[in-house]
Amino acid sequence: MSEKRNKIVSTATRLFGRYGYHSVGVDWIIAEAGVTKTTMYRHFALKTDLIVEVLQERARACAASLEEALAQAGSPLARLQKVFEWHQEWFDADDFSGCMFAHAASEFPSKGYPVHTAAAEQKVALTRRIEAILSEMMSRDEASALAPVLVMLLDGATLSAQITGRTKAATEAWPVAREMILARAHVTPVPPIPTPVPAN
């Protein structure tokens, strides 16, 4: 990505994240990014193209950051906990303003519209990543059924942190998620320790 294109995308990401998509106009982005209209329209002919690029770049960055966090955990359960901890660290960030993908889907509700599609793709990718980890602990069908529920828990925690200021929402959601996971996990029970037989 060229330096000016990167500047446009990073500026748009900041403004969209803070003020929303419809309220931020192209002229505002141009002024903040310090580029000309010619440069803007050379890279992004339509505002929609820029929004999609912002969402896709944000999705790649989030996925890479999450994978880095997951690499620090060993067992599947520990990795799933790390997903919630990763969200908690996001909630604790000074620039936290909610989920850009959820906001995009809300502002562009028409399914099939490029912006809505880009937002939905991020949710699908996160769901599949969680499902892959769950599949190490349970059947594929069980993992497929549970993964969207865990994403709903995370989405609810995100909304709670944004709207009500419940900043520890992801931490609070994890015990609920853990119980749901363990209820479906195929855990081999630990055999009881045999009682010693007294010597005659």
PDB file of all heavy atoms in Angstrom, residues 73-93:
ATOM      1  N   ALA A  73      -0.983 -19.284  24.257  1.00  0.00           N
ATOM      2  CA  ALA A  73      -1.724 -20.265  25.055  1.00  0.00           C
ATOM      3  C   ALA A  73      -1.531 -21.657  24.478  1.00  0.00           C
ATOM      4  O   ALA A  73      -1.309 -21.820  23.278  1.00  0.00           O
ATOM      5  CB  ALA A  73      -3.203 -19.898  25.086  1.00  0.00           C
ATOM      6  N   GLY A  74      -1.637 -22.666  25.326  1.00  0.00           N
ATOM      7  CA  GLY A  74      -1.393 -24.023  24.883  1.00  0.00           C
ATOM      8  C   GLY A  74      -2.644 -24.812  24.573  1.00  0.00           C
ATOM      9  O   GLY A  74      -2.942 -25.113  23.413  1.00  0.00           O
ATOM     10  N   SER A  75      -3.418 -25.150  25.583  1.00  0.00           N
ATOM     11  CA  SER A  75      -4.587 -26.013  25.406  1.00  0.00           C
ATOM     12  C   SER A  75      -5.702 -25.280  24.672  1.00  0.00           C
ATOM     13  O   SER A  75      -5.742 -24.039  24.659  1.00  0.00           O
ATOM     14  CB  SER A  75      -5.108 -26.474  26.770  1.00  0.00           C
ATOM     15  OG  SER A  75      -5.683 -25.393  27.476  1.00  0.00           O
ATOM     16  N   PRO A  76      -6.630 -26.019  24.077  1.00  0.00           N
ATOM     17  CA  PRO A  76      -7.768 -25.369  23.410  1.00  0.00           C
ATOM     18  C   PRO A  76      -8.562 -24.465  24.354  1.00  0.00           C
ATOM     19  O   PRO A  76      -8.947 -23.352  23.966  1.00  0.00           O
ATOM     20  CB  PRO A  76      -8.616 -26.551  22.930  1.00  0.00           C
ATOM     21  CG  PRO A  76      -7.644 -27.668  22.763  1.00  0.00           C
ATOM     22  CD  PRO A  76      -6.639 -27.484  23.847  1.00  0.00           C
ATOM     23  N   LEU A  77      -8.787 -24.922  25.581  1.00  0.00           N
ATOM     24  CA  LEU A  77      -9.542 -24.111  26.531  1.00  0.00           C
ATOM     25  C   LEU A  77      -8.786 -22.820  26.862  1.00  0.00           C
ATOM     26  O   LEU A  77      -9.389 -21.745  26.954  1.00  0.00           O
ATOM     27  CB  LEU A  77      -9.823 -24.894  27.813  1.00  0.00           C
ATOM     28  CG  LEU A  77     -10.740 -24.199  28.827  1.00  0.00           C
ATOM     29  CD1 LEU A  77     -12.123 -23.952  28.217  1.00  0.00           C
ATOM     30  CD2 LEU A  77     -10.872 -25.030  30.107  1.00  0.00           C
ATOM     31  N   ALA A  78      -7.486 -22.918  27.004  1.00  0.00           N
ATOM     32  CA  ALA A  78      -6.677 -21.732  27.278  1.00  0.00           C
ATOM     33  C   ALA A  78      -6.716 -20.765  26.100  1.00  0.00           C
ATOM     34  O   ALA A  78      -6.731 -19.539  26.287  1.00  0.00           O
ATOM     35  CB  ALA A  78      -5.234 -22.133  27.576  1.00  0.00           C
ATOM     36  N   ARG A  79      -6.750 -21.294  24.882  1.00  0.00           N
ATOM     37  CA  ARG A  79      -6.829 -20.430  23.710  1.00  0.00           C
ATOM     38  C   ARG A  79      -8.183 -19.733  23.624  1.00  0.00           C
ATOM     39  O   ARG A  79      -8.269 -18.559  23.252  1.00  0.00           O
ATOM     40  CB  ARG A  79      -6.558 -21.239  22.442  1.00  0.00           C
ATOM     41  CG  ARG A  79      -5.066 -21.380  22.134  1.00  0.00           C
ATOM     42  CD  ARG A  79      -4.825 -22.218  20.916  1.00  0.00           C
ATOM     43  NE  ARG A  79      -4.790 -23.628  21.263  1.00  0.00           N
ATOM     44  CZ  ARG A  79      -5.228 -24.623  20.495  1.00  0.00           C
ATOM     45  NH1 ARG A  79      -5.755 -24.355  19.312  1.00  0.00           N
ATOM     46  NH2 ARG A  79      -5.156 -25.864  20.891  1.00  0.00           N
ATOM     47  N   LEU A  80      -9.235 -20.445  23.990  1.00  0.00           N
ATOM     48  CA  LEU A  80     -10.559 -19.822  23.984  1.00  0.00           C
ATOM     49  C   LEU A  80     -10.644 -18.728  25.046  1.00  0.00           C
ATOM     50  O   LEU A  80     -11.234 -17.666  24.812  1.00  0.00           O
ATOM     51  CB  LEU A  80     -11.631 -20.888  24.225  1.00  0.00           C
ATOM     52  CG  LEU A  80     -11.821 -21.873  23.062  1.00  0.00           C
ATOM     53  CD1 LEU A  80     -12.631 -23.081  23.503  1.00  0.00           C
ATOM     54  CD2 LEU A  80     -12.489 -21.185  21.879  1.00  0.00           C
ATOM     55  N   GLN A  81     -10.041 -18.973  26.195  1.00  0.00           N
ATOM     56  CA  GLN A  81      -9.992 -17.934  27.215  1.00  0.00           C
ATOM     57  C   GLN A  81      -9.223 -16.724  26.697  1.00  0.00           C
ATOM     58  O   GLN A  81      -9.576 -15.571  26.962  1.00  0.00           O
ATOM     59  CB  GLN A  81      -9.350 -18.460  28.495  1.00  0.00           C
ATOM     60  CG  GLN A  81      -9.279 -17.416  29.608  1.00  0.00           C
ATOM     61  CD  GLN A  81      -8.735 -17.981  30.909  1.00  0.00           C
ATOM     62  OE1 GLN A  81      -8.509 -19.183  31.032  1.00  0.00           O
ATOM     63  NE2 GLN A  81      -8.526 -17.128  31.877  1.00  0.00           N
ATOM     64  N   LYS A  82      -8.174 -16.999  25.937  1.00  0.00           N
ATOM     65  CA  LYS A  82      -7.354 -15.913  25.386  1.00  0.00           C
ATOM     66  C   LYS A  82      -8.171 -15.045  24.422  1.00  0.00           C
ATOM     67  O   LYS A  82      -7.934 -13.831  24.325  1.00  0.00           O
ATOM     68  CB  LYS A  82      -6.138 -16.493  24.672  1.00  0.00           C
ATOM     69  CG  LYS A  82      -5.112 -15.473  24.241  1.00  0.00           C
ATOM     70  CD  LYS A  82      -4.487 -14.751  25.417  1.00  0.00           C
ATOM     71  CE  LYS A  82      -3.566 -15.615  26.236  1.00  0.00           C
ATOM     72  NZ  LYS A  82      -2.855 -14.813  27.271  1.00  0.00           N
ATOM     73  N   VAL A  83      -9.128 -15.644  23.721  1.00  0.00           N
ATOM     74  CA  VAL A  83     -10.000 -14.863  22.840  1.00  0.00           C
ATOM     75  C   VAL A  83     -10.758 -13.812  23.653  1.00  0.00           C
ATOM     76  O   VAL A  83     -10.865 -12.648  23.263  1.00  0.00           O
ATOM     77  CB  VAL A  83     -11.000 -15.774  22.092  1.00  0.00           C
ATOM     78  CG1 VAL A  83     -12.016 -14.928  21.324  1.00  0.00           C
ATOM     79  CG2 VAL A  83     -10.272 -16.712  21.138  1.00  0.00           C
ATOM     80  N   PHE A  84     -11.270 -14.231  24.804  1.00  0.00           N
ATOM     81  CA  PHE A  84     -12.001 -13.296  25.658  1.00  0.00           C
ATOM     82  C   PHE A  84     -11.053 -12.276  26.275  1.00  0.00           C
ATOM     83  O   PHE A  84     -11.405 -11.089  26.402  1.00  0.00           O
ATOM     84  CB  PHE A  84     -12.766 -14.071  26.735  1.00  0.00           C
ATOM     85  CG  PHE A  84     -14.037 -14.698  26.231  1.00  0.00           C
ATOM     86  CD1 PHE A  84     -14.005 -15.842  25.437  1.00  0.00           C
ATOM     87  CD2 PHE A  84     -15.270 -14.144  26.522  1.00  0.00           C
ATOM     88  CE1 PHE A  84     -15.172 -16.412  24.947  1.00  0.00           C
ATOM     89  CE2 PHE A  84     -16.448 -14.704  26.039  1.00  0.00           C
ATOM     90  CZ  PHE A  84     -16.397 -15.847  25.248  1.00  0.00           C
ATOM     91  N   GLU A  85      -9.861 -12.702  26.652  1.00  0.00           N
ATOM     92  CA  GLU A  85      -8.880 -11.768  27.212  1.00  0.00           C
ATOM     93  C   GLU A  85      -8.451 -10.745  26.164  1.00  0.00           C
ATOM     94  O   GLU A  85      -8.225  -9.570  26.489  1.00  0.00           O
ATOM     95  CB  GLU A  85      -7.665 -12.541  27.734  1.00  0.00           C
ATOM     96  CG  GLU A  85      -7.968 -13.380  28.969  1.00  0.00           C
ATOM     97  CD  GLU A  85      -6.780 -14.216  29.403  1.00  0.00           C
ATOM     98  OE1 GLU A  85      -5.776 -14.252  28.658  1.00  0.00           O
ATOM     99  OE2 GLU A  85      -6.858 -14.838  30.474  1.00  0.00           O
ATOM    100  N   TRP A  86      -8.316 -11.187  24.918  1.00  0.00           N
ATOM    101  CA  TRP A  86      -7.962 -10.280  23.831  1.00  0.00           C
ATOM    102  C   TRP A  86      -9.028  -9.199  23.681  1.00  0.00           C
ATOM    103  O   TRP A  86      -8.707  -8.012  23.522  1.00  0.00           O
ATOM    104  CB  TRP A  86      -7.816 -11.062  22.533  1.00  0.00           C
ATOM    105  CG  TRP A  86      -7.414 -10.256  21.338  1.00  0.00           C
ATOM    106  CD1 TRP A  86      -6.147  -9.957  20.928  1.00  0.00           C
ATOM    107  CD2 TRP A  86      -8.291  -9.644  20.376  1.00  0.00           C
ATOM    108  NE1 TRP A  86      -6.183  -9.206  19.774  1.00  0.00           N
ATOM    109  CE2 TRP A  86      -7.478  -8.997  19.418  1.00  0.00           C
ATOM    110  CE3 TRP A  86      -9.677  -9.589  20.231  1.00  0.00           C
ATOM    111  CZ2 TRP A  86      -8.012  -8.309  18.336  1.00  0.00           C
ATOM    112  CZ3 TRP A  86     -10.210  -8.887  19.156  1.00  0.00           C
ATOM    113  CH2 TRP A  86      -9.373  -8.267  18.220  1.00  0.00           C
ATOM    114  N   HIS A  87     -10.294  -9.584  23.762  1.00  0.00           N
ATOM    115  CA  HIS A  87     -11.372  -8.605  23.700  1.00  0.00           C
ATOM    116  C   HIS A  87     -11.323  -7.664  24.904  1.00  0.00           C
ATOM    117  O   HIS A  87     -11.564  -6.463  24.769  1.00  0.00           O
ATOM    118  CB  HIS A  87     -12.733  -9.321  23.638  1.00  0.00           C
ATOM    119  CG  HIS A  87     -13.107  -9.775  22.268  1.00  0.00           C
ATOM    120  ND1 HIS A  87     -12.569 -10.906  21.678  1.00  0.00           N
ATOM    121  CD2 HIS A  87     -13.955  -9.251  21.342  1.00  0.00           C
ATOM    122  CE1 HIS A  87     -13.076 -11.062  20.469  1.00  0.00           C
ATOM    123  NE2 HIS A  87     -13.914 -10.072  20.239  1.00  0.00           N
ATOM    124  N   GLN A  88     -11.005  -8.220  26.082  1.00  0.00           N
ATOM    125  CA  GLN A  88     -10.935  -7.379  27.272  1.00  0.00           C
ATOM    126  C   GLN A  88      -9.852  -6.312  27.145  1.00  0.00           C
ATOM    127  O   GLN A  88     -10.041  -5.157  27.536  1.00  0.00           O
ATOM    128  CB  GLN A  88     -10.685  -8.228  28.513  1.00  0.00           C
ATOM    129  CG  GLN A  88     -10.742  -7.445  29.824  1.00  0.00           C
ATOM    130  CD  GLN A  88     -12.082  -6.767  30.008  1.00  0.00           C
ATOM    131  OE1 GLN A  88     -13.118  -7.413  30.076  1.00  0.00           O
ATOM    132  NE2 GLN A  88     -12.072  -5.438  30.066  1.00  0.00           N
ATOM    133  N   GLU A  89      -8.709  -6.685  26.586  1.00  0.00           N
ATOM    134  CA  GLU A  89      -7.637  -5.719  26.368  1.00  0.00           C
ATOM    135  C   GLU A  89      -8.089  -4.621  25.408  1.00  0.00           C
ATOM    136  O   GLU A  89      -7.722  -3.448  25.566  1.00  0.00           O
ATOM    137  CB  GLU A  89      -6.401  -6.427  25.816  1.00  0.00           C
ATOM    138  CG  GLU A  89      -5.714  -7.334  26.833  1.00  0.00           C
ATOM    139  CD  GLU A  89      -4.516  -8.062  26.241  1.00  0.00           C
ATOM    140  OE1 GLU A  89      -4.158  -7.753  25.082  1.00  0.00           O
ATOM    141  OE2 GLU A  89      -3.973  -8.933  26.929  1.00  0.00           O
ATOM    142  N   TRP A  90      -8.882  -4.985  24.421  1.00  0.00           N
ATOM    143  CA  TRP A  90      -9.437  -4.010  23.477  1.00  0.00           C
ATOM    144  C   TRP A  90     -10.377  -3.046  24.209  1.00  0.00           C
ATOM    145  O   TRP A  90     -10.308  -1.834  24.029  1.00  0.00           O
ATOM    146  CB  TRP A  90     -10.155  -4.758  22.360  1.00  0.00           C
ATOM    147  CG  TRP A  90     -10.954  -3.924  21.411  1.00  0.00           C
ATOM    148  CD1 TRP A  90     -10.637  -2.694  20.919  1.00  0.00           C
ATOM    149  CD2 TRP A  90     -12.209  -4.287  20.827  1.00  0.00           C
ATOM    150  NE1 TRP A  90     -11.627  -2.257  20.048  1.00  0.00           N
ATOM    151  CE2 TRP A  90     -12.589  -3.217  19.979  1.00  0.00           C
ATOM    152  CE3 TRP A  90     -13.017  -5.413  20.925  1.00  0.00           C
ATOM    153  CZ2 TRP A  90     -13.776  -3.248  19.252  1.00  0.00           C
ATOM    154  CZ3 TRP A  90     -14.195  -5.442  20.196  1.00  0.00           C
ATOM    155  CH2 TRP A  90     -14.568  -4.369  19.368  1.00  0.00           C
ATOM    156  N   PHE A  91     -11.253  -3.604  25.074  1.00  0.00           N
ATOM    157  CA  PHE A  91     -12.180  -2.751  25.827  1.00  0.00           C
ATOM    158  C   PHE A  91     -11.420  -1.757  26.707  1.00  0.00           C
ATOM    159  O   PHE A  91     -11.891  -0.644  26.948  1.00  0.00           O
ATOM    160  CB  PHE A  91     -13.093  -3.595  26.725  1.00  0.00           C
ATOM    161  CG  PHE A  91     -13.994  -4.558  25.998  1.00  0.00           C
ATOM    162  CD1 PHE A  91     -14.694  -5.523  26.701  1.00  0.00           C
ATOM    163  CD2 PHE A  91     -14.143  -4.518  24.619  1.00  0.00           C
ATOM    164  CE1 PHE A  91     -15.522  -6.420  26.056  1.00  0.00           C
ATOM    165  CE2 PHE A  91     -14.971  -5.410  23.952  1.00  0.00           C
ATOM    166  CZ  PHE A  91     -15.660  -6.370  24.676  1.00  0.00           C
ATOM    167  N   ASP A  92     -10.272  -2.181  27.211  1.00  0.00           N
ATOM    168  CA  ASP A  92      -9.488  -1.338  28.126  1.00  0.00           C
ATOM    169  C   ASP A  92      -8.691  -0.252  27.410  1.00  0.00           C
ATOM    170  O   ASP A  92      -8.126   0.636  28.059  1.00  0.00           O
ATOM    171  CB  ASP A  92      -8.517  -2.203  28.947  1.00  0.00           C
ATOM    172  CG  ASP A  92      -9.242  -3.101  29.945  1.00  0.00           C
ATOM    173  OD1 ASP A  92     -10.382  -2.770  30.320  1.00  0.00           O
ATOM    174  OD2 ASP A  92      -8.660  -4.139  30.337  1.00  0.00           O
ATOM    175  N   ALA A  93      -8.618  -0.330  26.078  1.00  0.00           N
ATOM    176  CA  ALA A  93      -7.832   0.646  25.315  1.00  0.00           C
ATOM    177  C   ALA A  93      -8.481   2.031  25.379  1.00  0.00           C
ATOM    178  O   ALA A  93      -9.709   2.165  25.426  1.00  0.00           O
ATOM    179  CB  ALA A  93      -7.703   0.197  23.863  1.00  0.00           C
TER     180      ALA A  93
END
